[in-house]
């Protein structure tokens, strides 16, 4: 059974801090790892990672994948209150026809205090 | 925004009644998915579709059925709703190339 584990489950920091969110996985037939941000509505896409060691970056957010150790991290620098959200990690690991859905972790609930 | 709408957005129903949720997309995406999201469980896959009339079960498919008669519509049916099916239901789509899934706005279903 495919498994995705995120840590920590919740995190409270002050504005301006840097945070690192963790995601480890155990799946067969790994294809990609995705990060989403969810703010009381639908998840919105952040990054998709398929290759080890290549950092994806978007503004203050960055992410990297380690396929040998089976984990990914999401970094957010100079946090702002608008970064408060649940961050979801998901893995795509199709078993047959290639259309299987994503396996999600339970998410990290990040709260940025002013 | 991948042009995904869900209806209804909110629904309250009684145990034992049938319920159908609709997902409509305008992107001509081949793949469509239904997830449910519950506290402590995160998002879990119910059913998915890889083309018109082609569907398969996900992790938590018991008590649910789906149909896809057109590319743009994917229906999720609860034949006889139970309180354990109270949840937020998200539809998602993906194009032919492997990549990110785009999520609809969600339907909050309460079974009393």
């Amino acid at each position: 059974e495919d498994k995705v584990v995120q840590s920590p489950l919740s995190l409270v920091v002050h504005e301006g801090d840097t945070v690192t969110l963790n995601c480890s996985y155990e799946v067969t037939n790994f294809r990609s790892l995705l990060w989403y941000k969810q703010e009381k509505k639908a998840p919105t896409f952040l990054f998709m990672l398929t290759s080890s060691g290549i950092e994806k970056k978007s503004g203050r957010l960055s992410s990297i994948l380690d396929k040998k150790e089976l984990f990914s991290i999401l970094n957010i620098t100079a946090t702002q209150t608008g970064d408060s959200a649940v961050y979801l990690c998901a893995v795509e690991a199709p078993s047959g026809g290639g259309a299987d859905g994503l396996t999600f972790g339970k998410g990290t609930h990040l709260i940025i205090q002013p | 925004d991948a042009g995904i709408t869900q209806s209804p957005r909110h629904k309250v129903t009684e145990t034992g009644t049938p319920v159908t949720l609709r997902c409509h997309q305008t992107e001509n995406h081949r793949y469509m998915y239904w997830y449910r999201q519950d506290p402590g469980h995160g998002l879990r896959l119910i059913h998915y579709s890889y083309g018109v009339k082609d569907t398969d079960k996900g992790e938590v498919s018991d008590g649910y059925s789906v149909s896809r008669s057109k590319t743009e519509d994917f229906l999720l049916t609860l034949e006889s709703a139970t309180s354990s099916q109270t949840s937020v239901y998200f539809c998602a789509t993906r194009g032919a190339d492997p990549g990110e899934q785009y999520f609809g706005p969600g339907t909050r279903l309460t079974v009393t």
Side-chain angles (χ1 to χ4, degrees):
Chain A
E1 183 182 326
D2 294 344
K3 188 164 64 172
V4 178
V5 178
Q6 293 187 244
S7 64
L9 291 182
S10 65
L11 184 61
V12 181
V13 300
H14 290 287
E15 207 167 16
D17 289 350
T18 293
V19 298
T20 298
L21 310 184
N22 303 293
C23 177
S24 64
Y25 61 92
E26 292 179 32
V27 302
T28 54
N29 201 27
F30 174 89
R31 173 184 279 172
S32 63
L33 185 145
L34 299 92
W35 284 97
Y36 286 84
K37 178 181 181 181
Q38 187 174 27
E39 302 172 87
K40 295 190 184 300
K41 48 187 179 179
T44 55
F45 173 77
L46 294 174
F47 298 111
M48 185 175 77
L49 303 152
T50 56
S51 301
S52 273
I54 299 176
E55 184 182 54
K56 291 282 185 87
K57 197 169 171 63
S58 176
R60 296 175 294 101
L61 277 67
S62 64
S63 183
I64 198 161
L65 174 67
D66 186 327
K67 289 171 72 174
K68 181 180 177 184
E69 300 298 330
L70 308 183
F71 78 91
S72 174
I73 60 171
L74 175 67
N75 279 321
I76 308 175
T77 59
T79 52
Q80 303 170 358
T81 54
D83 295 326
S84 294
V86 175
Y87 289 84
L88 300 170
C89 174
V91 172
E92 185 181 20
S95 60
D100 301 32
L102 301 172
T103 299
F104 281 85
K106 294 183 180 180
T108 293
H109 187 192
L110 176 65
I111 297 172
I112 311 296
Q113 292 182 335
Chain B
D1 184 357
I4 305 170
T5 57
Q6 293 183 230
S7 59
R9 294 293 313 281
H10 301 272
K11 186 170 182 67
V12 179
T13 192
E14 292 185 350
T15 297
T17 59
V19 177
T20 296
L21 309 183
R22 179 179 183 244
C23 176
H24 178 80
Q25 56 124 340
T26 59
E27 299 296 313
N28 200 36
H29 281 170
R30 176 180 174 184
Y31 302 111
M32 298 186 74
Y33 307 85
W34 277 108
Y35 294 89
R36 59 178 289 176
Q37 187 171 36
D38 305 288
H41 289 280
L43 279 153
R44 292 178 293 173
L45 181 67
I46 306 172
H47 280 279
Y48 63 96
S49 170
Y50 45 97
V52 173
K53 296 194 189 327
D54 291 323
T55 64
D56 207 344
K57 296 178 179 180
E59 177 188 357
V60 290
S61 59
D62 287 349
Y64 302 94
S65 62
V66 290
S67 65
R68 188 153 177 220
S69 59
K70 299 186 288 186
T71 298
E72 57 266 35
D73 289 326
F74 192 30
L75 304 181
L76 177 70
T77 297
L78 291 66
E79 300 291 346
S80 177
T82 67
S83 59
S84 65
Q85 294 175 312
T86 292
S87 187
V88 179
Y89 291 86
F90 286 101
C91 172
T93 73
R94 175 167 78 75
D97 295 328
E100 65 267 29
Q101 292 184 13
Y102 301 94
F103 284 81
T107 294
R108 183 173 295 277
L109 176 67
T110 302
V111 183
T112 60

